[in-house]
Amino acid sequence: PFVEKNQLQDLTHYWDRYNIEYNKLQMQGLPMSFLIDAKGNLVATIEGKVDWLGEDVAGLIATASVK
């Protein structure tokens, strides 16, 4: 419903059925956000809820845990 309601047709869905990526990325819980560069490399992780439309987003990205 969220995808359709917000018309996110180009959003790819991933399902980590066997927790392979969960373990590889050393996730501690959800929600968790990943910052990926243009080459597809993981550059940072953010644990917890993020207000991506908030005023603090630039600062949050700058101080995110760099992998």
Side-chain angles (χ1 to χ4, degrees):
F2 175 83
V3 172
E4 291 81 14
K5 179 182 175 186
N6 293 284
Q7 300 177 354
L8 302 173
Q9 296 87 358
D10 295 327
L11 181 65
T12 303
H13 302 235
Y14 296 97
W15 181 30
D16 188 14
R17 184 176 191 170
Y18 300 105
N19 293 326
I20 294 169
E21 298 304 318
Y22 183 91
N23 293 325
K24 186 189 304 182
L25 296 169
Q26 301 174 356
M27 294 176 65
Q28 301 297 312
L30 297 173
M32 191 162 190
S33 299
F34 304 96
L35 302 180
I36 311 294
D37 69 14
K39 294 181 181 179
N41 300 306
L42 175 66
V43 295
T45 60
I46 302 170
E47 293 185 34
K49 184 178 176 182
V50 176
D51 178 5
W52 291 107
L53 300 176
E55 296 177 12
D56 300 352
V57 128
L60 179 66
I61 291 171
T63 60
S65 301
V66 177
K67 288 282 181 187

